[in-house]
Amino acid sequence: MKKKIKLIFFHPYSYIGGADKSLQRLIKKLDLKKFSITFVSLNNSYLKKNLSKKINFITLKASRAILAIPQFRKIILSSNNSSYKKIIVISNQNFANIIAYFSSIYINQVKRIFIDRNHIDELNFTKNLKEKFKKTIIKLLMKIIYPRANQVIGVSNKLSKDLRTFANTNVKTIYSPSFDKDIIKDSKMPIKLKKNFKYLINVSRFSKRKDHYTTLKAFKIVTKKFNRIKLILVGYGPEHKNIIKYAKYLNIYDKIIIINKTQNPYPYIRKSKLLILTSLYEGFPNILVESLALGTPVISTNMNSGASEILLNGKGGDLIKLGDYINLSKKIISFINSPKELLRKKNVAQQKLHRFNIITHSKIYSKIFERI
C-alpha cells in the first residue's frame, strides 16, 4: 500500500471568515487517497461539520496560542513515524507560523509551509504599548524564522512582494480560492427584504481593521440624497456594539440591517445593488471575488494588497483611499444615479475571476505538498 503524505493544518482560531473559507475549499478538493489530514485549532472549528469525517480535528487546551506549543509538538511527534511518506505542517498567519516553527523545531522529518493571509501592514496597527511590543516581537521572529520554512506563501502578489523584502526569503503567491461556483447555488436561498428599497452591503468581521465607521459615515451622506435605501451589515466580532452605537449617533440606525454570524451571506449580496469594503488592511479580500461572481459590483478601499489585484487597478471596480468616506459617498451616489460605468467595470472583473478558481488552487498546493 502506497504511503500517504501527512498534512497537519494549524489554524489557532477557526471562525467564520475568509481564512477558514479558503482552508475549507482547499481541504475539500484534496485527494484523501494521497493525503492524511489533521486540523489543529484552539477552539472547536466550525469546519468540522463542513468537511469529510476522515479528517481528524484536534482542539488544543490552551488559553493562548503560545501556550499550545507543547501540546502541538506532541501531535507532530505522534505523526512522525514510518506510516507516512512525509509530514507537512501548514500554518496560517504570522503568529501561528511562529508557533508552528517552535512546535516542530528539531523534528527532522517535518516540512513547514507558512501562509500569510494579511499584509505586513497588520503589524503596524496597534492599540496600546502592550500590543506594539507584541507585534514588534512578531516582526523580529518573522525575519529569523521565515527563511527556515520549506515554503512561504502569500495570498496576493503585493503581499508576497512586500513580505519577500521584509523577511528576505522566497515567497510564492497562491491566490485565495474565492471563485467558488457553489456560492451561486447558496445565493438562491430565500430571504426577506422589502422590494421597494435599494440595498447596499458590507460583509466583513466586526473589528477595527474592517473600519465600518468609514462605511457608516459615507452612508449617512448617501441617506441625505435618497430615502428608500438601506445598508446591510453582515458579520460578527468585538466591534458589534460599537458599530450599533455609532449608527445611532449618526441617526441612521433605522436604515441599517445587521445580520449577525451567518455562514451564508450570499443571498444578501445577490439582492444588493452594491458591495462596499472599507478595510484598513487585508491580504486577499475574498468577499470582493464572491460579490463579483454573484454579479454585484464593488467599491473597496485600496489597502496595501489584494483589492487592487482583484479589481484590476480600478478597471474592475472602484477603489478609494483608506478612510475616505467623502469620496466613497460620492461614488455611491454616482452609482445610484447612473450605474452603467460601475456595472461595466464589474463585467470586466468577472472575465478574470478564473484566476481564483478553487480547482486550480488545490492543484497548486497538491504539487507543493508532493514536491517539498
Side-chain angles (χ1 to χ4, degrees):
M1 186 177 176
K2 193 174 181 180
K3 291 182 180 180
K4 293 183 179 182
I5 296 172
K6 181 66 180 180
L7 303 179
I8 304 175
F9 286 88
F10 180 53
H11 188 49
Y13 304 107
S14 179
Y15 301 110
I16 299 170
D20 287 81
K21 281 183 184 176
S22 293
L23 289 172
Q24 177 180 316
R25 287 164 176 162
L26 169 60
I27 293 170
K28 249 184 179 179
K29 294 296 180 182
L30 292 176
D31 186 351
L32 295 182
K33 293 178 181 178
K34 291 183 179 179
F35 304 110
S36 172
I37 299 173
T38 295
F39 190 99
V40 181
S41 59
L42 270 69
N43 63 322
N44 292 318
S45 173
Y46 94 102
L47 295 182
K48 187 173 183 178
K49 61 185 177 182
N50 298 326
L51 293 172
S52 169
K53 292 181 180 179
K54 293 181 180 179
I55 294 163
N56 182 26
F57 281 84
I58 298 176
T59 304
L60 302 179
K61 295 179 180 178
S63 57
R64 294 170 58 195
I66 195 168
L67 300 178
I69 290 175
Q71 294 176 63
F72 188 33
R73 186 172 179 83
K74 284 183 181 178
I75 292 167
I76 298 169
L77 284 168
S78 69
S79 300
N80 192 27
N81 55 55
S82 58
S83 301
Y84 301 109
K85 186 178 177 181
K86 67 176 92 169
I87 301 107
I88 304 173
V89 174
I90 306 107
S91 48
N92 293 266
Q93 303 184 20
N94 47 51
F95 73 96
N97 296 334
I98 292 167
I99 290 166
Y101 173 78
F102 285 113
S103 299
S104 61
I105 195 170
Y106 303 130
I107 305 177
N108 294 329
Q109 304 302 316
V110 173
K111 309 292 184 181
R112 305 182 191 93
I113 295 176
F114 296 164
I115 305 173
D116 261 30
R117 298 188 183 275
N118 283 329
H119 190 274
I120 53 174
D121 275 359
E122 171 193 13
L123 300 171
N124 297 325
F125 288 89
T126 58
K127 294 178 289 187
N128 49 49
L129 285 174
K130 182 180 178 181
E131 188 177 36
K132 185 175 182 179
F133 176 74
K134 176 184 174 182
K135 290 189 174 182
T136 299
I137 296 299
I138 288 174
K139 286 194 279 189
L140 177 63
L141 289 173
M142 285 172 68
K143 289 185 175 185
I144 297 169
I145 289 169
Y146 274 43
R148 301 180 186 185
N150 297 89
Q151 182 71 69
V152 179
I153 293 169
V155 294
S156 69
N157 284 325
K158 185 64 164 60
L159 185 159
S160 297
K161 179 183 176 183
D162 292 348
L163 183 60
R164 190 178 301 120
T165 301
F166 175 80
N168 193 27
T169 191
N170 181 49
V171 182
K172 181 179 178 63
T173 298
I174 304 177
Y175 284 127
S176 290
S178 41
F179 185 40
D180 183 352
K181 292 183 180 179
D182 284 349
I183 70 170
I184 296 172
K185 179 180 69 177
D186 294 338
S187 75
K188 294 177 182 177
M189 185 187 83
I191 55 171
K192 291 183 179 179
L193 291 176
K194 292 180 180 179
K195 292 182 179 180
N196 55 343
F197 280 85
K198 286 184 171 69
Y199 294 92
L200 312 178
I201 190 166
N202 179 309
V203 181
S204 54
R205 192 169 186 267
F206 297 147
S207 64
K208 287 188 176 180
R209 62 171 278 200
K210 301 295 185 178
D211 190 17
H212 288 80
Y213 306 102
T214 291
T215 297
L216 291 172
K217 285 188 284 188
F219 183 65
K220 168 70 174 180
I221 296 170
V222 173
T223 60
K224 294 177 181 178
K225 297 283 185 179
F226 308 100
N227 289 322
R228 308 199 74 78
I229 191 165
K230 286 187 179 288
L231 173 65
I232 303 172
L233 300 178
V234 180
Y236 70 96
E239 286 295 296
H240 188 177
K241 290 182 179 178
N242 289 334
I243 288 168
I244 292 173
K245 185 178 178 181
Y246 196 68
K248 289 179 177 178
Y249 168 75
L250 293 176
N251 200 28
I252 55 173
Y253 184 64
D254 62 326
K255 297 181 182 296
I256 291 174
I257 300 169
I258 295 181
I259 309 296
N260 191 37
K261 212 167 188 177
T262 177
Q263 291 187 41
N264 185 14
Y266 306 118
Y268 298 98
I269 296 173
R270 190 170 67 88
K271 293 282 187 180
S272 297
K273 297 292 183 182
L274 180 67
L275 180 131
I276 300 162
L277 184 68
T278 48
S279 298
L280 298 173
Y281 62 86
E282 293 279 352
F284 186 94
N286 292 316
I287 198 65
L288 297 184
V289 175
E290 293 171 338
S291 182
L292 291 166
L294 293 173
T296 303
V298 300
I299 301 175
S300 172
T301 45
N302 193 13
M303 73 286 291
N304 215 347
S305 73
S308 61
E309 291 175 47
I310 295 167
L311 301 182
L312 307 170
N313 294 317
K315 294 178 182 178
D318 283 349
L319 294 165
I320 62 165
K321 293 180 180 178
L322 302 185
D324 190 353
Y325 70 93
I326 298 293
N327 193 29
L328 175 57
S329 68
K330 288 178 180 177
K331 286 186 178 294
I332 295 170
I333 291 167
S334 175
F335 169 75
I336 294 171
N337 284 328
S338 181
K340 186 176 179 180
E341 177 59 16
L342 196 52
L343 289 172
R344 183 193 65 79
K345 288 185 176 184
K346 180 260 298 181
N347 292 336
V348 171
Q350 283 182 318
Q351 294 172 21
K352 300 287 185 178
L353 293 184
H354 60 85
R355 295 175 292 162
F356 318 121
N357 187 281
I358 58 174
I359 297 172
T360 302
H361 179 267
S362 64
K363 285 181 179 178
I364 294 170
Y365 267 100
S366 293
K367 286 180 181 178
I368 292 172
F369 296 152
E370 291 172 357
R371 172 179 56 81
I372 66 169

